[in-house]
């Protein structure tokens, strides 16, 4: 890509206003809201929240009573949505270190293809390392043909190099810093309480997911 | 959050020969180097050889006046380093096409041109 752009002098998105960029936001949640990838990957996905910059939102919830089949359907539905909405950019918080590897691990187990590329290509990754001021961040760099991944965890790290005002880099820290939510809204349902509501298939679980996605990770 | 944090990188993707995803994680020097490389390729000129690594003395600092400065009409240190580099011809000797100088001149005058354009709107 870089060779082509350097040789031709072309650059991407020329003249396109940011508002016209097709951006989809993605957040994947494990049953306990676990953010440790190794632990989360042992369990089926609980839900996948999606939104875009047109105001569209969708929540895919995996049925805990029929987790294996329901997760497989959820992963297929996610891929179908990405193909249908055809975003230029897929955004998320800690996308590289959690959401995408979690999806890949579960898709491998469920034998579902994540062919999200515009030409049908698959998600692929390689180990990468980023030096941001005094920090070194190791992460799997994901790529897919024709789309871009933007991880707000990394953007927050760059933002804080100059500002040094963030109290932390978790989704909730960054969302609170920018005034997108208050702590009570998000922390009302986490850990065991979240898992309990999920297993009960309660409406409260769905509501919380929408709050997390719309106020927090996604559009903001 | 991306609404707030990503637009500046999106603009950079329209300038640098990197895709949007990569322009975020590339360092400043790498991005600027890509501009030089692109221009050398465009002019079909060979890429200058890397200079030999050598040691050099640290920065020079001088104070010509101490105390409270009074009756200051205007004090502007914007683009200080670019201005010094342009004033004293501090450019890489291996840059045979003088791209560094031209890019830096453009960069230094960009804010004032941008302000004038905004004022004219």
């Amino acid at each position: 890509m870089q060779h082509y752009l350097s040789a031709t002098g072309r650059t991407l998105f020329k003249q396109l206003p940011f508002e016209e960029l097709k951006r989809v936001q993605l957040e994947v949640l494990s049953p306990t809201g676990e953010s440790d990838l190794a632990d989360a990957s042992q369990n089926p996905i609980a839900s996948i929240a999606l939104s875009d910059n047109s105001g569209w939102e969708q929540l895919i919830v995996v049925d805990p009573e029929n987790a294996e089949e329901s997760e497989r359907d959820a992963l297929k539905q996610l891929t179908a949505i990405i193909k249908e909405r055809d975003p230029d950019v897929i955004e998320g918080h800690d996308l590289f270190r959690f959401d995408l590897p979690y999806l890949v691990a579960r898709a491998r187990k469920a034998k579902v293809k994540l062919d999200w590329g515009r030409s049908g290509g698959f998600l692929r990754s390689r180990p990468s390392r980023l030096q941001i001021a005094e920090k070194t961040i190791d992460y799997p760099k994901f790529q897919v043909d024709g789309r871009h991944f933007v991880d707000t965890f990394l953007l927050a790290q760059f933002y804080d190099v100059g500002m040094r005002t963030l109290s932390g880099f978790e989704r909730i820290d960054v969302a609170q810093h920018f005034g997108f939510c208050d702590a009570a809204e998000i922390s009302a349902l986490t850990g065991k309480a979240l898992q309990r509501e999920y297993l009960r298939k309660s409406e409260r679980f769905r509501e919380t997911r929408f709050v997390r996605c719309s106020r927090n990770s996604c559009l903001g | 959050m991306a609404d707030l944090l990503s637009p500046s990188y999106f603009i950079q993707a329209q300038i640098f020969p990197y895709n949007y995803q990569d322009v975020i994680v590339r360092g400043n020097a790498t991005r600027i180097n890509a501009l030089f490389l692109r221009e050398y390729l465009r002019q079909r000129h060979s890429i200058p050889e890397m200079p030999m690594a050598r040691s050099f003395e640290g920065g020079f600092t001088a104070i010509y006046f101490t105390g409270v400065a009074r009756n200051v009409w205007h004090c502007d240190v914007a683009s200080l380093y670019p201005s010094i580099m342009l004033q004293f011809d501090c450019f890489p000797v291996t840059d045979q096409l003088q791209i560094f100088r031209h890019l830096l001149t453009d960069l230094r005058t960009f804010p004032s041109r941008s302000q004038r354009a905004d004022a004219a709107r």
Side-chain angles (χ1 to χ4, degrees), chain A residues 6-8, chain B residues 36-48 96-97 99:
Chain A
S6 295
T8 60
Chain B
F36 295 161
L37 196 60
R38 181 172 68 187
E39 189 57 20
Y40 272 85
L41 287 172
R42 190 185 72 82
Q43 297 196 30
R44 303 189 64 77
H45 192 286
S46 58
I47 308 300
Q96 290 145 9
L97 298 181
I99 292 166

Side-chain angles (χ1 to χ4, degrees), chain A residues 14-148:
Chain A
K14 210 73 176 171
Q15 311 290 332
L16 184 77
F18 183 69
E19 297 71 28
E20 290 179 25
L21 189 66
K22 289 165 73 176
R23 299 157 49 217
V24 157
Q25 294 80 34
L26 166 73
E27 192 204 2
V28 185
L29 193 71
S30 70
T32 56
E34 178 65 64
S35 60
D36 182 85
L37 179 65
D39 291 344
S41 300
Q42 303 303 313
N43 298 306
I45 290 163
S47 64
I48 303 167
L50 293 151
S51 61
D52 74 9
N53 52 327
S54 72
W56 164 84
E57 289 181 332
Q58 187 157 343
L59 180 65
I60 307 169
V61 179
V62 172
D63 182 356
E65 289 169 11
N66 183 20
E68 193 174 322
E69 194 181 331
S70 181
E71 184 185 47
R72 188 178 299 115
D73 291 343
L75 290 165
K76 285 180 182 170
Q77 194 184 346
L78 171 63
T79 296
I81 289 170
I82 287 171
K83 286 179 180 176
E84 182 200 328
R85 300 200 77 86
D86 194 26
D88 303 310
V89 181
I90 298 172
E91 298 168 348
H93 194 81
D94 222 2
L95 202 58
F96 289 133
R97 299 191 314 164
F98 183 76
D99 301 74
L100 293 177
Y102 186 22
L103 282 171
V104 166
R106 297 309 303 176
R108 190 172 293 136
K109 193 167 176 59
K111 295 188 170 55
V112 173
K113 291 177 182 173
L114 298 178
D115 50 338
W116 295 4
R118 276 193 159 133
S119 53
F122 295 95
L123 269 181
R124 58 190 187 280
S125 72
R126 60 179 172 80
S128 194
R129 174 171 288 180
L130 192 55
Q131 185 77 41
I132 303 177
E134 73 281 8
K135 293 179 200 161
T136 303
I137 299 172
D138 291 306
Y139 69 101
K141 182 180 176 181
F142 279 84
Q143 287 180 300
V144 73
D145 305 335
R147 307 189 204 281
H148 307 262

Side-chain angles (χ1 to χ4, degrees), chain B:
Chain B
M1 284 163 0
D3 265 354
L4 276 179
L5 297 173
S6 64
S8 65
Y9 295 102
F10 178 67
I11 297 294
Q12 289 183 49
Q14 298 174 335
I15 298 169
F16 293 98
Y18 287 115
N19 72 36
Y20 179 32
Q21 177 174 336
D22 285 341
V23 89
I24 294 170
V25 293
R26 300 289 182 197
N28 291 338
T30 306
R31 273 177 277 172
I32 292 166
N33 195 51
L35 294 182
F36 295 161
L37 196 60
R38 181 172 68 187
E39 189 57 20
Y40 272 85
L41 287 172
R42 190 185 72 82
Q43 297 196 30
R44 303 189 64 77
H45 192 286
S46 58
I47 308 300
E49 201 174 1
M50 290 277 283
M52 291 290 286
R54 62 181 177 83
S55 61
F56 58 91
E57 284 186 37
F60 170 74
T61 308
I63 300 173
Y64 296 104
F65 171 80
T66 56
V68 179
R70 299 188 189 282
N71 298 321
V72 175
W73 180 64
H74 184 74
C75 177
D76 183 6
V77 289
S79 307
L80 179 64
Y81 284 5
S83 300
I84 291 171
M85 292 168 77
L86 287 165
Q87 180 71 33
F88 296 102
D89 281 338
C90 302
F91 301 112
V93 289
T94 52
D95 180 17
Q96 290 145 9
L97 298 181
Q98 298 275 301
I99 292 166
F100 199 119
R101 178 193 297 275
H102 297 141
L103 281 177
L104 198 63
T105 305
D106 279 353
L107 192 67
R108 198 176 71 87
T109 57
F110 177 77
S112 54
R113 280 186 283 127
S114 175
Q115 281 165 7
R116 279 200 300 275
D118 282 348
R121 278 183 196 151

Side-chain angles (χ1 to χ4, degrees), chain A residues 184-213:
Chain A
E185 253 182 331
I186 306 304
S187 61
L189 206 53
T190 54
K192 290 286 178 196
L194 179 74
Q195 186 176 27
R196 208 162 38 242
E197 296 296 326
Y198 168 64
L199 293 174
R200 283 175 50 204
K201 298 199 262 185
S202 77
E203 195 54 35
R204 193 160 172 239
F205 175 80
R206 298 183 73 87
E207 286 167 6
T208 301
R209 289 294 284 127
F210 273 119
V211 168
R212 275 177 67 99
C213 187

